[in-house]
PDB file of all heavy atoms in Angstrom:
ATOM      1  N   GLU A 207      83.969  56.420 -33.292  1.00 85.00           N
ATOM      2  CA  GLU A 207      84.893  56.098 -32.193  1.00 85.00           C
ATOM      3  C   GLU A 207      86.195  56.880 -32.297  1.00 85.00           C
ATOM      4  O   GLU A 207      87.162  56.564 -31.638  1.00 85.00           O
ATOM      5  CB  GLU A 207      85.199  54.590 -32.186  1.00 85.00           C
ATOM      6  CG  GLU A 207      83.983  53.692 -32.275  1.00 85.00           C
ATOM      7  CD  GLU A 207      83.018  53.888 -31.114  1.00 85.00           C
ATOM      8  OE1 GLU A 207      83.481  53.931 -29.969  1.00 85.00           O
ATOM      9  OE2 GLU A 207      81.808  54.040 -31.378  1.00 85.00           O
ATOM     10  N   SER A 227      81.273  51.121 -35.844  1.00 97.00           N
ATOM     11  CA  SER A 227      80.363  50.725 -34.759  1.00 97.00           C
ATOM     12  C   SER A 227      78.985  51.259 -35.125  1.00 97.00           C
ATOM     13  O   SER A 227      78.879  52.277 -35.806  1.00 97.00           O
ATOM     14  CB  SER A 227      80.849  51.377 -33.453  1.00 97.00           C
ATOM     15  OG  SER A 227      79.800  51.512 -32.524  1.00 97.00           O
ATOM     16  N   GLN A 229      77.279  52.715 -33.153  1.00 98.00           N
ATOM     17  CA  GLN A 229      77.105  53.591 -31.984  1.00 98.00           C
ATOM     18  C   GLN A 229      76.043  54.681 -32.138  1.00 98.00           C
ATOM     19  O   GLN A 229      75.071  54.735 -31.393  1.00 98.00           O
ATOM     20  CB  GLN A 229      78.453  54.226 -31.619  1.00 98.00           C
ATOM     21  CG  GLN A 229      78.400  55.061 -30.361  1.00 98.00           C
ATOM     22  CD  GLN A 229      78.057  54.235 -29.129  1.00 98.00           C
ATOM     23  OE1 GLN A 229      78.510  53.106 -28.979  1.00 98.00           O
ATOM     24  NE2 GLN A 229      77.228  54.775 -28.248  1.00 98.00           N
ATOM     25  N   LYS A 232      72.433  53.287 -32.984  1.00 98.00           N
ATOM     26  CA  LYS A 232      71.710  52.569 -31.912  1.00 98.00           C
ATOM     27  C   LYS A 232      71.204  53.575 -30.877  1.00 98.00           C
ATOM     28  O   LYS A 232      70.098  53.444 -30.365  1.00 98.00           O
ATOM     29  CB  LYS A 232      72.536  51.435 -31.302  1.00 98.00           C
ATOM     30  CG  LYS A 232      73.810  51.826 -30.616  1.00 98.00           C
ATOM     31  CD  LYS A 232      74.500  50.613 -29.961  1.00 98.00           C
ATOM     32  CE  LYS A 232      75.859  50.992 -29.404  1.00 98.00           C
ATOM     33  NZ  LYS A 232      76.403  50.049 -28.444  1.00 98.00           N
ATOM     34  N   ARG A 251      87.387  48.037 -38.828  1.00 97.00           N
ATOM     35  CA  ARG A 251      88.435  48.806 -38.150  1.00 97.00           C
ATOM     36  C   ARG A 251      89.722  48.683 -38.960  1.00 97.00           C
ATOM     37  O   ARG A 251      90.244  47.572 -39.130  1.00 97.00           O
ATOM     38  CB  ARG A 251      88.690  48.254 -36.737  1.00 97.00           C
ATOM     39  CG  ARG A 251      87.454  48.237 -35.825  1.00 97.00           C
ATOM     40  CD  ARG A 251      87.176  49.588 -35.250  1.00 97.00           C
ATOM     41  NE  ARG A 251      85.911  49.622 -34.530  1.00 97.00           N
ATOM     42  CZ  ARG A 251      85.812  49.691 -33.191  1.00 97.00           C
ATOM     43  NH1 ARG A 251      86.885  49.714 -32.444  1.00 97.00           N
ATOM     44  NH2 ARG A 251      84.615  49.761 -32.622  1.00 97.00           N
ATOM     45  N   GLU A 253      92.732  48.727 -38.421  1.00 90.00           N
ATOM     46  CA  GLU A 253      93.914  48.557 -37.561  1.00 90.00           C
ATOM     47  C   GLU A 253      95.069  48.194 -38.480  1.00 90.00           C
ATOM     48  O   GLU A 253      94.981  47.225 -39.222  1.00 90.00           O
ATOM     49  CB  GLU A 253      93.707  47.397 -36.563  1.00 90.00           C
ATOM     50  CG  GLU A 253      92.344  47.316 -35.927  1.00 90.00           C
ATOM     51  CD  GLU A 253      92.210  48.210 -34.719  1.00 90.00           C
ATOM     52  OE1 GLU A 253      93.187  48.897 -34.382  1.00 90.00           O
ATOM     53  OE2 GLU A 253      91.104  48.238 -34.143  1.00 90.00           O
ATOM     54  N   ILE A 261      91.210  42.191 -35.615  1.00 97.00           N
ATOM     55  CA  ILE A 261      90.972  41.893 -37.021  1.00 97.00           C
ATOM     56  C   ILE A 261      90.346  43.142 -37.625  1.00 97.00           C
ATOM     57  O   ILE A 261      89.942  44.050 -36.893  1.00 97.00           O
ATOM     58  CB  ILE A 261      90.061  40.647 -37.203  1.00 97.00           C
ATOM     59  CG1 ILE A 261      88.950  40.627 -36.152  1.00 97.00           C
ATOM     60  CG2 ILE A 261      90.886  39.382 -37.201  1.00 97.00           C
ATOM     61  CD1 ILE A 261      88.007  39.471 -36.237  1.00 97.00           C
ATOM     62  N   TYR A 264      84.989  42.702 -37.746  1.00 98.00           N
ATOM     63  CA  TYR A 264      84.549  41.765 -36.707  1.00 98.00           C
ATOM     64  C   TYR A 264      83.046  41.899 -36.491  1.00 98.00           C
ATOM     65  O   TYR A 264      82.413  42.816 -37.021  1.00 98.00           O
ATOM     66  CB  TYR A 264      85.338  41.945 -35.408  1.00 98.00           C
ATOM     67  CG  TYR A 264      85.074  43.218 -34.630  1.00 98.00           C
ATOM     68  CD1 TYR A 264      84.075  43.278 -33.655  1.00 98.00           C
ATOM     69  CD2 TYR A 264      85.840  44.355 -34.840  1.00 98.00           C
ATOM     70  CE1 TYR A 264      83.847  44.437 -32.925  1.00 98.00           C
ATOM     71  CE2 TYR A 264      85.614  45.523 -34.116  1.00 98.00           C
ATOM     72  CZ  TYR A 264      84.617  45.559 -33.160  1.00 98.00           C
ATOM     73  OH  TYR A 264      84.379  46.706 -32.448  1.00 98.00           O
ATOM     74  N   TYR A 376      80.911  60.847 -26.845  1.00 98.00           N
ATOM     75  CA  TYR A 376      79.519  60.628 -26.420  1.00 98.00           C
ATOM     76  C   TYR A 376      79.394  60.070 -25.000  1.00 98.00           C
ATOM     77  O   TYR A 376      78.298  59.845 -24.497  1.00 98.00           O
ATOM     78  CB  TYR A 376      78.812  59.686 -27.414  1.00 98.00           C
ATOM     79  CG  TYR A 376      79.538  58.368 -27.645  1.00 98.00           C
ATOM     80  CD1 TYR A 376      79.487  57.331 -26.715  1.00 98.00           C
ATOM     81  CD2 TYR A 376      80.283  58.158 -28.815  1.00 98.00           C
ATOM     82  CE1 TYR A 376      80.148  56.134 -26.921  1.00 98.00           C
ATOM     83  CE2 TYR A 376      80.954  56.961 -29.038  1.00 98.00           C
ATOM     84  CZ  TYR A 376      80.888  55.966 -28.084  1.00 98.00           C
ATOM     85  OH  TYR A 376      81.544  54.780 -28.293  1.00 98.00           O
ATOM     86  N   GLU A 398      89.958  42.640 -22.819  1.00 97.00           N
ATOM     87  CA  GLU A 398      88.735  43.427 -23.012  1.00 97.00           C
ATOM     88  C   GLU A 398      87.835  42.737 -24.032  1.00 97.00           C
ATOM     89  O   GLU A 398      88.243  42.493 -25.162  1.00 97.00           O
ATOM     90  CB  GLU A 398      89.117  44.818 -23.533  1.00 97.00           C
ATOM     91  CG  GLU A 398      87.929  45.650 -23.941  1.00 97.00           C
ATOM     92  CD  GLU A 398      88.306  46.784 -24.905  1.00 97.00           C
ATOM     93  OE1 GLU A 398      89.428  47.314 -24.832  1.00 97.00           O
ATOM     94  OE2 GLU A 398      87.440  47.110 -25.744  1.00 97.00           O
ATOM     95  N   ILE A 399      86.603  42.428 -23.628  1.00 98.00           N
ATOM     96  CA  ILE A 399      85.665  41.854 -24.603  1.00 98.00           C
ATOM     97  C   ILE A 399      84.510  42.812 -24.905  1.00 98.00           C
ATOM     98  O   ILE A 399      83.794  42.643 -25.880  1.00 98.00           O
ATOM     99  CB  ILE A 399      85.115  40.465 -24.173  1.00 98.00           C
ATOM    100  CG1 ILE A 399      84.397  40.541 -22.822  1.00 98.00           C
ATOM    101  CG2 ILE A 399      86.236  39.435 -24.108  1.00 98.00           C
ATOM    102  CD1 ILE A 399      83.529  39.305 -22.544  1.00 98.00           C
ATOM    103  N   THR A 400      84.319  43.795 -24.025  1.00 98.00           N
ATOM    104  CA  THR A 400      83.212  44.744 -24.182  1.00 98.00           C
ATOM    105  C   THR A 400      83.640  46.136 -23.771  1.00 98.00           C
ATOM    106  O   THR A 400      84.407  46.282 -22.815  1.00 98.00           O
ATOM    107  CB  THR A 400      82.049  44.362 -23.232  1.00 98.00           C
ATOM    108  OG1 THR A 400      81.457  43.156 -23.668  1.00 98.00           O
ATOM    109  CG2 THR A 400      80.975  45.439 -23.195  1.00 98.00           C
ATOM    110  N   THR A 401      83.111  47.134 -24.465  1.00 98.00           N
ATOM    111  CA  THR A 401      83.124  48.499 -23.953  1.00 98.00           C
ATOM    112  C   THR A 401      81.672  48.936 -23.825  1.00 98.00           C
ATOM    113  O   THR A 401      80.847  48.605 -24.683  1.00 98.00           O
ATOM    114  CB  THR A 401      83.853  49.447 -24.913  1.00 98.00           C
ATOM    115  OG1 THR A 401      85.224  49.066 -24.960  1.00 98.00           O
ATOM    116  CG2 THR A 401      83.792  50.894 -24.426  1.00 98.00           C
ATOM    117  N   ARG A 405      75.568  57.199 -21.919  1.00 98.00           N
ATOM    118  CA  ARG A 405      75.867  58.209 -22.936  1.00 98.00           C
ATOM    119  C   ARG A 405      75.344  59.564 -22.494  1.00 98.00           C
ATOM    120  O   ARG A 405      74.403  59.650 -21.683  1.00 98.00           O
ATOM    121  CB  ARG A 405      75.207  57.844 -24.273  1.00 98.00           C
ATOM    122  CG  ARG A 405      75.072  56.376 -24.581  1.00 98.00           C
ATOM    123  CD  ARG A 405      76.391  55.658 -24.624  1.00 98.00           C
ATOM    124  NE  ARG A 405      76.193  54.274 -25.103  1.00 98.00           N
ATOM    125  CZ  ARG A 405      77.157  53.392 -25.215  1.00 98.00           C
ATOM    126  NH1 ARG A 405      78.400  53.690 -24.858  1.00 98.00           N
ATOM    127  NH2 ARG A 405      76.898  52.170 -25.661  1.00 98.00           N
ATOM    128  N   ILE A 443      76.193  48.778 -24.704  1.00 98.00           N
ATOM    129  CA  ILE A 443      77.493  48.089 -24.827  1.00 98.00           C
ATOM    130  C   ILE A 443      77.783  47.691 -26.270  1.00 98.00           C
ATOM    131  O   ILE A 443      76.875  47.569 -27.098  1.00 98.00           O
ATOM    132  CB  ILE A 443      77.544  46.784 -23.991  1.00 98.00           C
ATOM    133  CG1 ILE A 443      76.564  45.732 -24.574  1.00 98.00           C
ATOM    134  CG2 ILE A 443      77.279  47.036 -22.519  1.00 98.00           C
ATOM    135  CD1 ILE A 443      77.049  44.325 -24.443  1.00 98.00           C
ATOM    136  N   GLY A 444      79.058  47.454 -26.545  1.00 98.00           N
ATOM    137  CA  GLY A 444      79.505  46.787 -27.773  1.00 98.00           C
ATOM    138  C   GLY A 444      80.397  45.631 -27.361  1.00 98.00           C
ATOM    139  O   GLY A 444      81.405  45.827 -26.668  1.00 98.00           O
ATOM    140  N   GLY A 446      82.605  42.261 -28.600  1.00 98.00           N
ATOM    141  CA  GLY A 446      83.240  41.604 -29.749  1.00 98.00           C
ATOM    142  C   GLY A 446      82.958  40.110 -29.708  1.00 98.00           C
ATOM    143  O   GLY A 446      83.412  39.403 -28.801  1.00 98.00           O
TER     144      GLY A 446
HETATM  145  P1  LIG B 508      85.150  49.513 -28.791  1.00 52.59           P
HETATM  146  O1  LIG B 508      85.839  50.261 -29.860  1.00 52.59           O
HETATM  147  O2  LIG B 508      85.892  49.352 -27.504  1.00 52.59           O
HETATM  148  O3  LIG B 508      83.766  50.204 -28.401  1.00 52.59           O
HETATM  149  O4  LIG B 508      84.746  48.097 -29.327  1.00 52.59           O
HETATM  150  C1  LIG B 508      83.879  47.249 -28.604  1.00 52.59           C
HETATM  151  C2  LIG B 508      84.413  45.817 -28.547  1.00 52.59           C
HETATM  152  O5  LIG B 508      84.660  45.338 -29.861  1.00 52.59           O
HETATM  153  C3  LIG B 508      85.778  44.475 -29.866  1.00 52.59           C
HETATM  154  N1  LIG B 508      86.803  44.982 -30.788  1.00 52.59           N
HETATM  155  C4  LIG B 508      87.489  44.229 -31.673  1.00 52.59           C
HETATM  156  N2  LIG B 508      87.456  42.921 -31.938  1.00 52.59           N
HETATM  157  C5  LIG B 508      88.266  42.456 -32.904  1.00 52.59           C
HETATM  158  N3  LIG B 508      89.082  43.232 -33.652  1.00 52.59           N
HETATM  159  C6  LIG B 508      89.151  44.559 -33.434  1.00 52.59           C
HETATM  160  N4  LIG B 508      89.935  45.310 -34.200  1.00 52.59           N
HETATM  161  C7  LIG B 508      88.328  45.113 -32.405  1.00 52.59           C
HETATM  162  N5  LIG B 508      88.121  46.364 -31.943  1.00 52.59           N
HETATM  163  C8  LIG B 508      87.198  46.258 -30.967  1.00 52.59           C
HETATM  164  C9  LIG B 508      86.270  44.388 -28.448  1.00 52.59           C
HETATM  165  C10 LIG B 508      85.742  45.661 -27.845  1.00 52.59           C
HETATM  166  O6  LIG B 508      85.574  45.569 -26.448  1.00 52.59           O
HETATM  167  N6  LIG B 508      80.844  51.969 -29.592  1.00 52.59           N
HETATM  168  C11 LIG B 508      81.647  51.309 -28.578  1.00 52.59           C
HETATM  169  C12 LIG B 508      80.824  50.315 -27.779  1.00 52.59           C
HETATM  170  C13 LIG B 508      79.809  50.917 -26.875  1.00 52.59           C
HETATM  171  O7  LIG B 508      80.197  51.770 -26.039  1.00 52.59           O
HETATM  172  O8  LIG B 508      78.629  50.546 -26.979  1.00 52.59           O
HETATM  173  C14 LIG B 508      82.795  50.593 -29.277  1.00 52.59           C
HETATM  174  O9  LIG B 508      82.768  50.314 -30.448  1.00 52.59           O
HETATM  175  O10 LIG B 508      85.655  43.263 -27.846  1.00 52.59           O
END
Side-chain angles (χ1 to χ4, degrees):
E207 311 300 314
S227 156
Q229 185 63 39
K232 62 176 174 163
R251 302 281 172 108
E253 318 276 0
I261 39 180
Y264 70 90
Y376 54 77
E398 172 201 329
I399 58 165
T400 291
T401 295
R405 328 300 187 182
I443 67 146

